[in-house]
């Protein structure tokens, strides 16, 4: 393979053996381009609305949506990396409740060693890329509060953002598993 076709530590734009840093970078870039299917958009919109009304600070619901989109985009980057071309399916799309159930189940499985069989590439790279996206979301959403909240609240907010990044990744996996994509 010519040197120009290999992913390097900072090139962020070439496919093939992407580093975790490149994967996270691409996921963050993709998140800016309205990457969701119609079904996923409906799911994220509903989740954000629920979180905005159930959290003590409404902005936290918006954070959940942004974190979910970051995780979703990472899964899309992985799909690209392994050559999967998944287009939205037309028939028998799951309803949002069925999609939520599948997404929550996959998200729980992703938190165990091996990712419950839902990872498309090696576990270490995926986990590192997820960690990079989580760190970016935490920095963007929480750093200005670091001096104003105690450690327990900080840990809880970090866990909240982590859950939503993982759930976003699981959302894309659930679309595949439920037949919403083919």
């Amino acid at each position: 393979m010519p040197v120009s076709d290999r992913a390097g530590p900072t090139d962020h734009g070439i496919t093939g053996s992407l580093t975790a840093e490149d994967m996270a970078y691409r996921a963050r870039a993709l998140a800016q381009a309205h990457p969701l299917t119609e079904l996923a958009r409906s799911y994220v919109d509903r989740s954000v609305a629920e979180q905005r009304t159930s959290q003590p600070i409404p902005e936290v619901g918006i954070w959940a949506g942004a974190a979910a989109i970051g995780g979703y985009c990472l899964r899309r980057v992985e799909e690209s990396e392994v050559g999967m071309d998944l287009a939205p399916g037309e028939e028998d799309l799951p309803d949002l409740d069925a999609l939520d159930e599948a997404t929550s189940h996959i998200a729980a499985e992703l938190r165990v060693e091996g990712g419950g069989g839902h990872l498309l590439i090696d576990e270490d790279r995926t986990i590192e890329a997820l960690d990079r996206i989580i760190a970016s979301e935490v920095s963007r959403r929480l750093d200005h509060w670091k001096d104003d909240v105690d450690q327990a609240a900080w840990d809880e907010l970090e866990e909240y953002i982590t859950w939503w990044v993982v759930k976003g990744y699981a959302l894309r996996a659930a679309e595949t598993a439920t037949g919403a994509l083919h």
Side-chain angles (χ1 to χ4, degrees):
M1 173 164 47
V3 172
S4 63
D5 291 342
R6 277 186 264 148
T10 60
D11 62 12
H12 303 302
I14 298 172
T15 60
S17 300
L18 295 174
T19 66
E21 176 187 9
D22 289 328
M23 291 170 55
Y25 177 88
R26 283 182 153 196
R28 287 189 300 270
L30 181 59
Q32 303 301 313
H34 308 290
L36 305 175
T37 62
E38 187 174 322
L39 180 63
R41 169 56 56 203
S42 295
Y43 179 87
V44 169
D45 287 349
R46 182 176 88 168
S47 296
V48 168
E50 289 171 355
Q51 292 300 303
R52 288 194 71 172
T53 60
S54 68
Q55 296 299 324
I57 302 169
E59 293 83 14
V60 173
I62 295 168
W63 301 349
I69 292 170
Y72 183 93
C73 289
L74 178 61
R75 174 64 182 224
R76 295 231 2 232
V77 167
E78 279 189 318
E79 290 168 5
S80 176
E81 177 74 358
V82 299
M84 291 174 71
D85 184 23
L86 300 174
E90 295 295 325
E91 66 282 336
D92 298 328
L93 292 179
D95 67 20
L96 290 180
D97 291 330
L99 183 61
D100 185 49
E101 185 177 328
T103 298
S104 295
H105 178 76
I106 291 170
E109 288 183 344
L110 286 169
R111 298 187 100 174
V112 301
E113 189 172 330
H118 299 286
L119 304 177
L120 297 177
I121 61 172
D122 66 275
E123 182 179 0
D124 291 340
R125 251 192 318 159
T126 300
I127 298 303
E128 184 180 341
L130 283 167
D131 285 347
R132 287 176 176 276
I133 291 168
I134 291 163
S136 175
E137 286 296 318
V138 166
S139 175
R140 183 177 333 162
R141 310 293 176 191
L142 302 180
D143 271 359
H144 66 283
W145 287 14
K146 188 144 182 112
D147 296 331
D148 297 329
V149 298
D150 63 22
Q151 189 61 45
W154 179 265
D155 292 344
E156 190 174 324
L157 288 167
E158 279 185 326
E159 181 61 28
Y160 180 81
I161 289 173
T162 298
W163 170 249
W164 282 101
V165 170
V166 171
K167 198 162 184 182
Y169 182 98
L171 170 60
R172 182 63 179 187
E175 282 185 311
T176 306
T178 61
L181 300 172
H182 50 52

